[in-house]
Amino acid sequence: MTAAEGPVGTVPVPAGPFVHREAVATAGGTVHVAWSGVAAGNLGLHVVADEDAAGRRAVGEARRGLERAMGVPEGSTLYLDQVHSADAVWADGPGWGEEAGPTADAAVSRDGGRTLAVMVADCLPVVLVDEATGATAVAHAGRRGLLDGVLEATVDRLLSLRPAERRDAPGLRAWIGPGVCGRCYEVPEQMRAEAAERVPATAATTAWGTPGLDLPAGAVAILRGRGADVAVVQACTLEDERLFSHRRAPGQGRFAGLVWRADEDASTPTGAA
Ligand SMILES: [Zn+2]
């Protein structure tokens, strides 16, 4: 359960499909940020073989189950075709129930009205909310995306929704969801050196004394550098079996970082249109 040093302590463990969940008041209404776990099922179609009909059906069932838990319409969540890029897109297209999502590694909902998901199993599922505008975003930040600037691209897009003179004002919040921690993520010495050149905070040493990368610490440094108020969900995918981990169990599944807006009094499947 160790992770990067962050401003948030150990988080409570709620029951149900989420390993962590918070509600946030914004100019556009209350939004919810959360991270699913193994209990919610595998959400990634890309880790299921094309011929595995039962496995693909199970992904649909898991996604719909999560949507019922969130109180949003089934099939309405935007899932991305994630490729370890630094590309962020506007969340304009239909939900997964209608068509596969765009190829990108971050999405921004201008008014926070879209339900956004980002899938991971060791990479960081980062969720952002701009309290000043009500806009929301998710980003998939693995080693490559983080070093290539996916978080900066996401923040830039979010803040472009503010009037120019308000870009530096407070209200931008970010959560670093569960990923592999710096004590568990071993990399070659050369890779650590290259990463540290770009984002010094990523340089780490594993629990067994070899070169490592601390992606949560790197993400905190990048996001604080952009003026965000950053919280870290303290859970390591490799150590915590409530979460999927590609390194611990390759191909087993993906969990998600999520952000959505749902009326407090309409948290039933039929109530949140
Ligand atoms: Zn760890």
Side-chain angles (χ1 to χ4, degrees), residues 2 181 184 236 239:
T2 52
C181 84
C184 290
C236 168
E239 298 170 72

Side-chain angles (χ1 to χ4, degrees), residues 19 35-38 178-179 235-237 240-245 248 255:
V19 295
W35 291 264
S36 70
V38 170
C236 168
T237 46
D240 189 335
E241 296 196 349
R242 295 175 304 150
L243 301 158
F244 290 114
S245 166
R248 173 165 39 80
F255 67 96

